[in-house]
Amino acid sequence: MVRLPKIHIKVPGTSANLGPGFDLMGLALDIHNEFEFQFSKEITETKTELKNGKTLPFSKKEDLVLSSYLSYFSKFTKNISPPPYHCKMTLALPLKGGLGSSASAIVAGLCLAKEVHKRLSPESLPREQEFTQYLAEFEGHPDNTLPAYLGGFVFAYSTFGETLRYFRKKFPSSVSIFVLTPEYSVSTEESRKTLPKSYVTSDVIFNLSRIGAWMHFLDKRKFGDLLVGLEDKMHTPYRIPNSSPLFPLADTLKQEGIGYCLSGSGPSLLIFLERKALKSKLHELESKVSKIMKESGITYQFRRVKPDGVGVRIKMK
């Protein structure tokens, strides 16, 4: 039997949609989940635990690392039994926080399976296009899994069974990004139920125009283009309605001309400031956030993040 090494996989968090790009656009962020996998002939059953010794925040049935790992072998191999492993996780991404925790687990499981496959039967490895296609299809949201895998800003689509298409760009360093994460979770599945089954043509055109503004921002790096590009009529209004505890904050940011978007299905928000305006605006922004969240009775985390331009990192030990 081929001896498998210890495999360490580090996956960045992601923010999907980015305003108008529902299920199309995503950005990798420098907040990471880390997974350490060990194989040996003594390991006869897969075991998963947190590296800090705390209780896992999910059940075995909800273990997306394991389910994606096993699914890879069902998809790409017929004669390899998936070797069991012991996994230790370090989870920095909040579960159901809208920052790609599910995507990080899927990317880790599929990348682990591919590394194992490479050592056990390298001649039958899938092509990269086949792998990224499956990576996009597994969760059904390529705007999460593709940025986590590739890094950077990714525009990706694969609808009605067609071949995955995507392109990747570097996010401009002239803009600073902050993440506000309220201390409550949102189920993506439940959040999608709030969306209408159809949209009026004018709202669709509105969002298409804002995606164009995003592309212009990525090319020309003008902050004003980003402010326009973040506008959205197809999911944000339904996920942050007037009754939402986040509405007062979102409304204030809009009135102040500060760029923001819901991260994925939420509840995390991405907030954007022009880097040259940090000194003059950051303290005021933090004060407004603190006041509004206190009035809403919500505890939260507020931190500055950077785009992750690398994507998944895999090391052998």
Side-chain angles (χ1 to χ4, degrees):
M1 180 179 174
V2 176
R3 182 179 179 275
L4 294 171
K6 291 182 180 179
I7 301 176
H8 180 271
I9 300 179
K10 185 176 181 180
V11 189
T14 53
S15 181
N17 302 326
L18 301 175
F22 185 65
D23 278 359
L24 296 172
M25 304 194 313
L27 178 68
L29 304 172
D30 68 342
I31 314 168
H32 301 85
N33 281 348
E34 299 187 46
F35 309 84
E36 297 177 8
F37 300 95
Q38 185 174 353
F39 300 87
S40 73
K41 61 182 181 181
E42 287 78 26
I43 296 175
T44 58
E45 184 178 356
T46 292
K47 178 182 177 182
T48 300
E49 59 187 340
L50 293 182
K51 194 170 183 178
N52 61 14
K54 293 184 178 180
T55 304
L56 282 171
F58 52 82
S59 67
K60 188 172 183 178
K61 289 183 179 180
E62 298 170 315
D63 187 346
L64 288 174
V65 175
L66 178 58
S67 60
S68 58
Y69 174 75
L70 296 176
S71 75
Y72 173 98
F73 289 95
S74 297
K75 173 70 175 178
F76 294 114
T77 72
K78 302 301 180 185
N79 57 351
I80 299 176
S81 296
Y85 59 75
H86 283 180
C87 173
K88 291 186 177 181
M89 300 180 174
T90 302
L91 304 179
L93 297 169
L95 268 69
K96 299 182 180 179
L99 291 171
S101 61
S102 296
S104 76
I106 292 166
V107 169
L110 292 179
C111 287
L112 172 69
K114 188 178 180 184
E115 290 298 324
V116 171
H117 187 182
K118 187 187 301 182
R119 284 158 179 78
L120 299 182
S121 182
E123 68 282 353
S124 61
L125 275 177
R127 293 177 290 111
E128 180 67 4
Q129 189 278 327
E130 294 176 298
F131 182 73
T132 53
Q133 181 83 35
Y134 191 62
L135 187 68
E137 291 173 350
F138 189 91
E139 188 189 35
H141 308 302
D143 53 340
N144 262 323
T145 50
L146 265 292
Y149 180 61
L150 299 169
F153 170 96
V154 177
F155 186 99
Y157 61 97
S158 177
T159 56
F160 307 110
E162 66 184 359
T163 300
L164 173 71
R165 292 176 172 84
Y166 65 87
F167 64 83
R168 177 176 174 271
K169 284 182 174 287
K170 181 180 179 181
F171 188 87
S173 59
S174 58
V175 174
S176 296
I177 306 174
F178 298 84
V179 174
L180 183 144
T181 303
E183 296 294 336
Y184 63 87
S185 62
V186 172
S187 163
T188 300
E189 182 179 351
E190 290 301 314
S191 181
R192 280 183 174 259
K193 293 178 182 178
T194 67
L195 302 178
K197 293 182 179 180
S198 62
Y199 295 92
V200 298
T201 302
S202 58
D203 285 351
V204 175
I205 293 172
F206 181 95
N207 271 41
L208 289 172
S209 69
R210 270 50 185 181
I211 290 175
W214 251 105
M215 299 308 152
H216 200 256
F217 160 69
L218 292 169
D219 287 339
K220 302 300 181 181
R221 308 188 175 202
K222 293 181 179 179
F223 189 69
D225 291 329
L226 175 61
L227 292 179
V228 175
L230 289 166
E231 295 174 344
D232 165 49
K233 286 192 176 182
M234 292 181 65
H235 84 106
T236 306
Y238 302 98
R239 287 172 165 169
I240 310 182
N242 292 2
S243 58
S244 168
L246 288 178
F247 182 80
L249 176 60
D251 190 51
T252 297
L253 293 174
K254 183 178 180 180
Q255 291 180 28
E256 295 289 332
I258 296 174
Y260 79 94
C261 65
L262 196 63
S263 185
S265 59
S268 294
L269 291 180
L270 291 194
I271 299 174
F272 302 85
L273 286 178
E274 198 167 11
R275 192 172 178 179
K276 65 182 182 182
L278 270 183
K279 288 185 179 180
S280 61
K281 289 189 176 182
L282 181 55
H283 178 70
E284 182 182 358
L285 171 62
E286 290 174 328
S287 296
K288 286 182 183 295
V289 167
S290 177
K291 180 177 182 294
I292 293 169
M293 298 302 279
K294 185 177 180 179
E295 290 174 350
S296 299
I298 301 173
T299 56
Y300 66 96
Q301 291 184 351
F302 184 77
R303 52 184 163 174
R304 185 177 179 181
V305 297
K306 295 180 180 179
D308 181 296
V310 177
V312 65
R313 299 155 172 84
I314 303 173
K315 292 183 179 180
M316 310 299 158
K317 296 183 179 181

